[in-house]
Amino acid sequence: MKTPETIELKSPEQTIVLHKDPFMPMVLVKGILLSIFRSSVDSPHNITFNKFSSAFNNIKLDLNKISQFKKICGYPQDTDTVPMLYLQSLFIGQFGKYITSSFFPLLPMGLIHTKQKILQTRKINQNEVLNTKFSLDKIINNEKGLELTFLLEITSKEELVWKGVTTTLSKSKKYKKRKNPDQASKTITPFTIIDVPNDIGRQYAKVSGDYNPHHLSAFFAKLFGFKRAIAHGMWSLARSISALEKQFPDNNLFSIDVSFKRPLFLPGTAMLGAIKENQNIIFELRDNVTKIPHLAGTIHIQ
């Protein structure tokens, strides 16, 4: 097993300030073209990663998108509070802008979202004006490839109200996944079945801005090596969290720590299970037929 190695981020820091949302269809096209024509990396020691950050200030939230997000993710509509999972979508443009820039030497379409952490310090009203900061935090070279961690921060009137840590993997061509099938959990009993519509990828893309092709149709998914279109990992997480909030009603704020496991193919059904241990809720989402895991995580009640 390869020993993990931290890749040094070089100075000077590359910084971008955005004054409007990037046009995501154009970002997507650029990402596809770069993935075709940009040379793949054989060794991380042959490239340079500079420190990087971007900011987008004075964001007025789109109330229609929030309403649609609540609808497709199962949140109640009778509140002015913004779902904490919706706020991660504010960084889609900054993320896309970075991985299609000259500052990013890897293939944009080769990144796999593997982990997500979110901490919210208080409830956020949909009428607040927010500022975002997106930073490349660290890079680890391990047996699977390059693991990149990004820090996401949201402030309101200089108060840090939301923080996310997004982990992605640029998989090494030499890595071969071990044949170790995931067994069904013996400790977490499912409490609800979640329906996964065939068009949920397109619906979620409209509210999040994440138009990765393998979420949109079976045709594009097959071009990327999938048998059918797959649901966004963040939709699967948001849909799970909305159900968990109903199962474990609690007025306290919380943080989420989740790992994304296997693709959730469209259409389909998934079963959500959870157990409460002290101040933690341990949960997992599995395929209703095969029982393979799609995601597993922990909610930490504050």
Side-chain angles (χ1 to χ4, degrees), residues 112-126:
I112 303 169
H113 192 180
T114 57
K115 301 174 187 176
Q116 184 68 48
K117 295 181 181 180
I118 296 176
L119 168 64
Q120 187 168 303
T121 61
R122 65 166 174 81
K123 294 181 179 180
I124 299 172
N125 187 279
Q126 62 187 14

Side-chain angles (χ1 to χ4, degrees), residues 190-203:
F191 68 86
T192 190
I193 301 297
I194 292 176
D195 182 55
V196 188
N198 189 52
D199 66 343
I200 197 63
R202 295 188 291 276
Q203 289 189 54

Side-chain angles (χ1 to χ4, degrees), residues 12-236:
E13 180 171 333
Q14 308 294 333
T15 304
I16 294 177
V17 177
L18 302 182
H19 299 287
K20 63 178 181 179
D21 277 318
F23 184 54
M24 292 310 296
M26 186 61 69
V27 172
L28 175 60
V29 170
K30 185 177 180 182
I32 293 173
L33 292 175
L34 285 172
S35 296
I36 295 173
F37 295 107
R38 180 179 281 173
S39 300
S40 59
V41 177
D42 296 324
S43 169
H45 303 291
N46 297 334
I47 56 177
T48 298
F49 284 94
N50 285 86
K51 296 177 181 178
F52 179 87
S53 67
S54 66
F56 189 10
N57 298 323
N58 301 316
I59 300 172
K60 294 182 179 179
L61 299 176
D62 188 321
L63 302 188
N64 182 59
K65 284 186 177 180
I66 293 174
S67 177
Q68 288 301 310
F69 180 93
K70 290 178 178 179
K71 180 180 178 180
I72 67 174
C73 295
Y75 288 91
Q77 294 280 353
D78 57 346
T79 173
D80 291 334
T81 301
V82 184
M84 68 185 299
L85 272 298
Y86 174 81
L87 293 166
Q88 194 267 354
S89 69
L90 298 183
F91 295 90
I92 296 297
Q94 287 170 275
F95 184 80
K97 191 81 171 176
Y98 171 59
I99 64 175
T100 57
S101 72
S102 59
F103 307 136
F104 187 71
L106 304 178
L107 303 182
M109 304 306 293
L111 292 180
I112 303 169
H113 192 180
T114 57
K115 301 174 187 176
Q116 184 68 48
K117 295 181 181 180
I118 296 176
L119 168 64
Q120 187 168 303
T121 61
R122 65 166 174 81
K123 294 181 179 180
I124 299 172
N125 187 279
Q126 62 187 14
N127 294 313
E128 290 188 55
V129 178
L130 305 175
N131 304 311
T132 63
K133 183 179 179 182
F134 169 90
S135 308
L136 176 60
D137 187 44
K138 64 180 178 181
I139 301 176
I140 303 294
N141 183 26
N142 57 35
E143 64 172 344
K144 293 183 179 180
L146 288 175
E147 187 177 79
L148 294 85
T149 301
F150 300 93
L151 182 62
L152 321 175
E153 297 174 294
I154 298 177
T155 57
S156 176
K157 295 181 179 179
E158 300 184 355
E159 174 194 5
L160 181 64
V161 294
W162 189 99
K163 182 178 179 180
V165 179
T166 296
T167 302
T168 63
L169 176 68
S170 179
K171 190 179 293 186
S172 170
K173 293 181 179 179
K174 299 178 181 179
Y175 175 70
K176 294 183 179 180
K177 187 173 183 178
R178 297 181 180 86
K179 293 184 178 181
N180 184 22
D182 299 287
Q183 301 298 321
S185 172
K186 297 179 180 179
T187 58
I188 301 182
T189 302
F191 68 86
T192 190
I193 301 297
I194 292 176
D195 182 55
V196 188
N198 189 52
D199 66 343
I200 197 63
R202 295 188 291 276
Q203 289 189 54
Y204 189 77
K206 290 177 182 178
V207 299
S208 69
D210 184 351
Y211 283 91
N212 270 324
H214 51 273
H215 299 306
L216 306 181
S217 72
F219 173 79
F220 288 116
K222 289 176 181 178
L223 294 179
F224 287 85
F226 298 101
K227 61 182 181 181
R228 298 200 307 274
I230 63 175
H232 293 75
M234 290 303 296
W235 174 83
S236 302

